Amino acid sequence: MNIHETDDYASVNINQGMTLTEKIIAKASNRTHVSPGEVIFVNVDVLMSHDPCTPGVASVFKKEFGEEAKVWDPDRFIMIPDHFVYSADPQANQNIRVMREFANAQNITHFYDVGTPDYKGVCHIGLAEGGHTRPGEVLLGTDSHTVTAGAFGTFAIGVGITDGAYALGTGEIPLMVPATIKVNYYGKKAKSVQAKDLILVLMKELGVEGATYNAIEFTGNVIDELSVEERMTMCNMVVECGAKNGIMVPNQATLDYLATRTRIPYTVMTPDEDAQYVRTIDIDVSGLTSVIARPHSPDNVVAVAQLENIAISQAYIGSCTGGKTDDFIAAAEILWQRKVTIPTYAVPATKEVFHNLITTQVKGRSVYEILTRAGVKLSSEPGCAACCGGPADTFGRVRDPISVISTTNRNFVGRMGNKGAMIYLASPYAVAAAAVSGFITNPERYLTNDY
């Protein structure tokens, strides 16, 4: 694997072409051109909020716009409880009650309430399933991993409660145009290398602050060849290096996916050939193997070979990063006719994903059957679960100071529960391999039947 970087940024030229992010912002602000550093008002296409943040958003909204005020567009405010939905915790339950009351009072069209046929699960995957992630649009969410939707050519960013409340009342948001880092992945990717490995390699290169308030625009033949869900993984984790958003031009697989999800017209946008980038990073994936982020930071990344034989006490497959259908299919490829040797928890991101586990087959067996036969503790209740620790009764929560390998996105101290736990971030392949061996293991050994 080779990484090459160039510094392309020069003085701003209004005649210069625009990046993908800049073109979407220009369209949303009714301007012909925008440049990095400009602060402008941008029209919002979609706003999303979930159970931890909706009570705060609703409170600020009522305080600033009035108790009887109505949201700017009840069809464009998407409400999805997902963080702490299957818990007896009183505060968690209260948050969802507030969501129900607000949705009812405001006649919200898209409230995917838990316990109803409409419930989805993790908001970032549910947004895509619901057809709310459309190319060329501006999508805000009160969660940092809203950036996941950049995989659809959407300018998608996380916002705080106050910004969310302002957008809810006005349908716009003041925004500073970010400069863009272009990241080009090229070469031939090994089967054992997944999107999680690709983004962790970039994390190592940039560090947790290396893209602060920059857009990251993904390109290259490797990105073009990724599945829709793998592309979502790429954009999902850009926030871990401080990026404002991650984005890519939709490939044909993405357009096919959208055709089954939405009838709302959208515009696929592409960057100009003479667009100006603050940096360009070229990553040759030829020869790349699985990588692991060691405790306690997503940028503490090394090749799996450097960590082999480190004992692992628990494995976890789930979250907006690693709980999609493709992620479980990958795990099933490793777990087929094998048994886990350590407690292994799995939480589908959404109800649709759980259904797919039953209907999707690997080597003649459903993914559901492969996982359960292997001894995986598979939840039928989709959501964020242990990715963010959660209340004491959260499924898969790390309760002891042990070593854990996980498909999730963050491994900060206490992130998954116990503050003494050592969390290793890895691809679904690598997590499944460790679940079988009880040690950090190169998944290629199981994929090639050499082990």
Side-chain angles (χ1 to χ4, degrees):
M1 180 190 70
N2 296 309
I3 299 178
H4 176 71
E5 180 177 340
T6 57
D7 187 347
D8 300 330
Y9 204 62
S11 59
V12 172
N13 180 353
I14 62 172
N15 295 316
Q16 191 81 26
M18 292 186 288
T19 67
L20 182 51
T21 289
E22 291 162 6
K23 291 184 80 169
I24 295 174
I25 292 175
K27 173 176 172 283
S29 58
N30 299 313
R31 295 175 54 160
T32 58
H33 193 279
V34 298
S35 299
E38 288 186 277
V39 178
I40 55 180
F41 277 87
V42 174
N43 294 317
V44 176
D45 292 292
V46 176
L47 171 66
M48 181 279 299
S49 193
H50 50 31
D51 48 311
C53 290
T54 296
V57 170
S59 176
V60 174
F61 172 79
K62 291 177 182 179
K63 178 182 177 182
E64 298 300 327
F65 294 98
E67 287 290 330
E68 303 302 319
K70 295 298 182 181
V71 302
W72 108 99
D73 190 333
D75 194 45
R76 297 189 182 193
F77 181 42
I78 317 300
M79 299 174 66
I80 309 181
D82 65 352
H83 270 55
F84 312 123
V85 291
Y86 295 105
S87 173
D89 183 82
Q91 186 58 59
N93 296 165
Q94 174 61 14
N95 286 346
I96 295 176
R97 281 194 292 270
V98 171
M99 292 187 78
R100 289 171 178 155
E101 292 168 1
F102 191 78
N104 183 62
Q106 295 287 342
N107 294 313
I108 301 301
T109 307
H110 304 291
F111 175 38
Y112 298 105
D113 194 8
V114 62
T116 72
D118 293 330
Y119 180 63
K120 290 198 174 297
V122 177
C123 58
H124 311 301
I125 313 306
L127 280 171
E129 291 174 355
H132 304 298
T133 54
R134 296 177 291 269
E137 293 191 352
V138 172
L139 188 157
L140 311 183
T142 56
D143 187 282
S144 60
H145 291 111
T146 301
V147 292
T148 305
F152 297 87
T154 309
F155 177 70
I157 61 172
V159 296
I161 285 172
T162 303
D163 284 343
Y166 181 82
L168 188 59
T170 65
E172 62 180 14
I173 187 174
L175 182 74
M176 184 171 73
V177 180
T180 298
I181 298 172
K182 182 179 182 179
V183 183
N184 173 41
Y185 288 86
Y186 68 98
K188 183 173 177 56
K189 179 179 71 65
K191 174 176 172 53
S192 59
V193 172
Q194 297 186 269
K196 185 66 168 289
D197 301 299
L198 299 178
I199 193 63
L200 286 178
V201 166
L202 183 62
M203 283 296 309
K204 180 180 181 179
E205 172 70 14
L206 291 173
V208 293
E209 297 178 345
T212 300
Y213 209 89
N214 289 151
I216 294 181
E217 184 178 298
F218 294 106
T219 188
N221 73 284
V222 176
I223 299 299
D224 293 340
E225 294 160 6
L226 291 177
S227 70
V228 175
E229 292 186 346
E230 287 281 81
R231 291 159 69 90
M232 292 170 72
T233 299
M234 296 296 297
C235 289
N236 173 273
M237 284 195 67
V238 299
V239 71
E240 312 310 335
C241 52
K244 184 68 172 176
N245 68 299
I247 198 164
M248 53 184 68
V249 176
N251 63 2
Q252 189 58 51
T254 305
L255 298 178
D256 292 343
Y257 178 97
L258 287 166
T260 68
R261 305 285 174 168
T262 183
R263 295 182 179 179
I264 297 175
Y266 56 80
T267 302
V268 175
M269 307 188 80
T270 58
D272 293 326
E273 290 186 5
D274 59 344
Q276 196 171 18
Y277 298 93
V278 65
R279 298 166 70 180
T280 297
I281 301 173
D282 294 309
I283 301 177
D284 181 359
V285 305
S286 305
L288 176 65
T289 62
S290 294
V291 295
I292 309 283
R294 298 172 292 186
H296 294 284
S297 181
D299 66 347
N300 191 12
V301 176
V302 296
V304 65
Q306 296 185 40
L307 301 178
E308 283 197 276
N309 300 320
I310 288 181
I312 296 294
S313 299
Q314 184 171 310
Y316 186 88
I317 304 169
S319 81
C320 54
T321 313
K324 305 178 294 301
T325 301
D326 282 359
D327 302 314
F328 282 102
I329 291 174
E333 291 177 13
I334 297 285
L335 296 172
W336 188 73
Q337 292 191 331
R338 296 188 174 101
K339 297 285 187 181
V340 300
T341 60
I342 58 176
T344 301
Y345 297 87
V347 183
T350 64
K351 284 174 62 177
E352 181 176 317
V353 171
F354 182 75
H355 179 264
N356 290 344
L357 302 189
I358 298 171
T359 59
T360 304
Q361 293 196 340
V362 172
K363 297 182 180 180
R365 287 185 184 165
S366 73
V367 174
Y368 178 91
E369 182 181 0
I370 293 171
L371 267 59
T372 53
R373 281 194 178 193
V376 174
K377 303 175 191 293
L378 177 60
S379 174
S380 62
E381 299 175 335
C384 297
C387 173
C388 46
D393 57 355
T394 299
F395 181 84
R397 190 177 192 275
V398 179
R399 308 184 186 283
D400 302 302
I402 58 176
S403 292
V404 179
I405 191 164
S406 175
T407 65
T408 54
N409 43 54
R410 289 173 179 161
N411 58 348
F412 311 139
V413 173
R415 169 70 179 182
M416 296 185 71
N418 192 287
K419 292 182 179 179
M422 304 287 283
I423 310 298
Y424 293 84
L425 303 180
S427 71
Y429 277 151
V431 171
V436 171
S437 68
F439 299 87
I440 291 178
T441 303
N442 189 337
E444 193 167 338
R445 297 184 179 182
Y446 292 112
L447 291 169
T448 57
N449 295 316
D450 291 339
Y451 192 76

